[in-house]
Amino acid sequence: MTGHIKLNYYFRMTKKSKSLFIDQEVSRLEEQVDFLLATLDRLMKENRSLRSRQESLATERANMLEKHDMVRTRVDGIVTRLKALESGA
């Protein structure tokens, strides 16, 4: 029902049926609130998990970059020694 039709229907009802209508609406709203709270809780947990994963990946990336730099330094040293051996030979 649209809002306007729903209101017209509401005003034509008896007191007992209005009470039932209100109870049904309250129940419907309670269900919606419960659903929204459950969704909020799920999203907050998911957000915490994603932030934790992001932090873990950032740490892992930093470690890998550090190892990459160490390997590059070693390779540069080996290349330099090989060039020195070639020119000395």
Side-chain angles (χ1 to χ4, degrees):
M1 274 191 235
T2 65
H4 181 64
I5 294 170
K6 203 172 194 178
L7 283 176
N8 284 340
Y9 175 75
Y10 176 76
F11 287 119
R12 289 193 313 254
M13 293 189 302
T14 65
K15 189 173 187 176
K16 187 175 183 178
S17 62
K18 284 181 186 178
S19 177
L20 179 61
F21 176 78
I22 290 172
D23 289 346
Q24 289 172 344
E25 283 296 298
V26 168
S27 292
R28 187 182 64 77
L29 290 172
E30 285 175 341
E31 287 176 11
Q32 285 181 330
V33 168
D34 288 343
F35 174 78
L36 290 172
L37 288 173
T39 301
L40 176 63
D41 185 53
R42 180 182 55 81
L43 290 174
M44 288 174 68
K45 287 176 183 174
E46 184 178 327
N47 191 32
R48 275 193 297 271
S49 174
L50 289 171
R51 287 182 189 271
S52 175
R53 179 74 175 136
Q54 181 182 21
E55 186 177 320
S56 173
L57 288 172
T59 301
E60 184 180 338
R61 182 179 186 278
N63 291 336
M64 292 181 92
L65 287 173
E66 186 178 328
K67 287 179 184 179
H68 179 267
D69 287 343
M70 287 176 21
V71 169
R72 179 182 294 172
T73 301
R74 285 184 185 172
V75 170
D76 286 346
I78 292 170
V79 169
T80 301
R81 279 181 272 160
L82 286 173
K83 284 182 182 180
L85 286 173
E86 282 181 356
S87 42

